Amino acid sequence: MSETLRVAIVGCGGIANGKHMPSLAKLKQVEMVAFCDIEVEKAEKAAAQYGTAEARVYEDYKELLEDASIDVVHVLTPNSSHAEISIAALEADKHVMCEKPMAKTSEEARQMVEAAKRTGKKLTIGYNNRFRPDSLHLHKLAQRGDLGEVYFAKAHAIRRRAVPTWGVFLDEEKQGGGPLIDIGTHALDLTLWLMDNYKPKAVMGSTYHKLGQKKDAANAFGPWDPEKFKVEDSAFGFITMENGATIVLESSWALNTLEVDEAKVSLSGTEAGADMKDGLRINGEEFGKLYTQKVDLGAGGVAFYDGNAESDADLEARLWIESIINDTEPLVKPEQAFVVTQILEAIYESAKTGKAVYLEDKVLA
């Protein structure tokens, strides 16, 4: 494979402009050569800002995929089309970075994993919070065994009032849900990765639509339209794993609370505990005394870091592109992202039925 990868962007909205394209533009190994959006003016603007001189613009992703010279496709569309476009791109012999969450349903996510295996192309999901300095450092500690057996964890994704009012965030059909599938997915991915535990047994869940009907509500992004607020405003899950470990997942866009944390994790192990509540803190017991240590996360000394202050989005993009060039596994594996989607779906299902959802027999082949 050439040392320069030709990358296509499908979906030129907020996440493309806020994360993917700026990070890809910093990489010498990347040329952005194709841009697609159903609102073609968005694709045209992206091409003008980030594309090569001969970059092409498309309204239909199927036409884009006919270009055999494209090596990589970034799928940055609403959740409902993640699986369809990703599978088509894999089958068109492209490597795929799909923005989180992997898919609306676990069946769609399963089909994405199967397509990657069938085609031999690389597939990863945009869980960029793994690439933060605190996440990377804590992962290294956990892998070394400093925490012992992690048997209890909390996945935090709580906003007090920060309901996204643009795009399709409030559209259940296009997104599959609200804060649980939007930001809860990041917290859950971090938790499973740090625990290195991808074997869920049973899930209980609750979802609430208590504040979404308020008019002229206080909100970081301005008042929402109650008529368009079709998803939950908060959701909570209780997950038990096959080895007996327990995970509590909390997520909200709007909740009357002062405990605000997003994409953070608390871990309790047999040897020590850790949390991201006030920086990265490690707690434990030594010589009959309790201790709390706050980790200095300055550049240097963190996995993948060489002294440069590289953002999580930039590091995610660089390591993804390098995994293709060097033919190595991406940090975020599709099989892992499948389990995240599986648990989120189970929380929604449990909330509707009031019953536990058992996942032991629903593993990937």
Side-chain angles (χ1 to χ4, degrees):
M1 179 177 288
S2 168
E3 289 298 301
T4 300
L5 296 177
R6 293 169 60 84
V7 177
I9 305 296
V10 179
C12 300
I15 198 68
N17 285 279
K19 173 185 164 185
H20 291 263
M21 295 189 297
S23 294
L24 288 169
K26 297 175 183 178
L27 299 176
K28 295 179 181 179
Q29 313 99 310
V30 166
E31 292 180 343
M32 284 180 270
V33 299
F35 301 82
C36 179
D37 200 285
I38 56 174
E39 297 180 34
V40 71
E41 60 274 12
K42 290 184 178 180
E44 291 171 345
K45 182 179 178 181
Q49 184 171 358
Y50 294 105
T52 60
E54 73 279 7
R56 300 188 65 180
V57 170
Y58 299 85
E59 189 174 358
D60 185 346
Y61 77 87
K62 293 178 183 176
E63 293 181 19
L64 178 151
L65 295 179
E66 292 175 1
D67 184 347
S69 73
I70 293 172
D71 301 303
V72 185
V73 175
H74 280 225
V75 179
L76 315 176
T77 59
N79 301 343
S80 60
S81 58
H82 282 185
E84 174 190 327
I85 299 172
S86 295
I87 292 169
L90 291 165
E91 291 180 340
D93 204 33
K94 325 294 186 191
H95 302 290
V96 173
M97 154 70 83
C98 178
E99 186 49 49
K100 64 80 195 169
M102 188 172 190
K104 269 182 64 174
T105 70
S106 62
E107 180 53 36
E108 289 177 340
R110 183 189 300 274
Q111 291 172 13
M112 291 169 69
V113 173
E114 290 172 349
K117 290 179 178 178
R118 183 171 64 250
T119 61
K121 309 307 289 187
K122 296 188 189 299
L123 169 64
T124 194
I125 309 300
Y127 285 117
N128 57 284
N129 285 287
R130 290 197 195 186
F131 298 85
R132 299 186 330 231
D134 57 345
S135 304
L136 291 167
H137 190 89
L138 182 52
H139 185 259
K140 192 172 183 180
L141 291 178
Q143 289 291 297
R144 193 171 65 181
D146 289 28
L147 305 185
E149 177 195 351
V150 179
Y151 58 91
F152 179 64
K154 290 184 179 180
H156 310 288
I158 296 289
R159 297 177 182 174
R160 184 182 179 187
R161 290 291 191 283
V163 178
T165 53
W166 63 92
V168 298
F169 280 102
L170 304 181
D171 186 330
E172 185 173 15
E173 179 61 30
K174 289 186 170 61
Q175 287 296 93
L180 179 63
I181 202 169
D182 177 43
I183 57 176
T185 191
H186 273 302
L188 180 58
D189 174 72
L190 262 185
T191 304
L192 298 176
W193 181 59
L194 291 168
M195 294 176 75
D196 191 22
N197 191 340
Y198 290 92
K199 294 184 177 180
K201 178 180 179 180
V203 176
M204 285 289 294
S206 300
T207 60
Y208 297 98
H209 196 112
K210 298 292 189 181
L211 306 183
Q213 298 308 306
K214 290 184 178 293
K215 295 182 179 179
D216 302 318
N219 189 46
F221 307 115
W224 56 79
D225 182 351
E227 295 298 317
K228 295 180 179 178
F229 205 136
K230 303 298 184 183
V231 295
E232 81 278 0
D233 46 47
S234 62
F236 308 91
F238 187 90
I239 304 129
T240 53
M241 311 299 283
E242 285 187 11
N243 72 343
T246 299
I247 300 171
V248 174
L249 170 58
E250 53 184 25
S251 65
S252 72
W253 283 338
L255 189 69
N256 289 324
T257 180
L258 296 178
E259 293 286 328
V260 175
D261 294 296
E262 188 169 338
K264 294 182 181 179
V265 175
S266 297
L267 304 175
S268 297
T270 53
E271 298 300 321
D275 69 59
M276 299 167 166
K277 292 280 191 173
D278 180 21
L280 177 56
R281 303 183 299 187
I282 312 300
N283 67 82
E285 176 184 353
E286 194 169 46
F287 307 123
K289 303 292 184 182
L290 298 176
Y291 70 83
T292 304
Q293 295 177 344
K294 193 168 182 178
V295 180
D296 181 358
L297 292 167
V302 177
F304 305 120
Y305 275 61
D306 57 5
N308 296 321
E310 198 171 15
S311 74
D312 56 298
D314 289 351
L315 183 59
E316 175 188 47
R318 177 170 67 80
L319 293 181
W320 160 236
I321 293 301
E322 289 178 358
S323 76
I324 297 171
I325 292 173
N326 299 325
D327 192 22
T328 57
E329 276 196 306
L331 184 63
V332 180
K333 300 174 181 59
E335 294 85 357
Q336 297 171 336
F338 164 80
V339 177
V340 176
T341 295
Q342 188 181 40
I343 293 173
L344 296 178
E345 181 182 64
I347 291 173
Y348 282 125
E349 182 181 342
S350 174
K352 289 179 181 177
T353 65
K355 299 178 181 179
V357 176
Y358 294 91
L359 298 175
E360 288 174 291
D361 299 327
K362 299 180 180 180
V363 297
L364 285 170

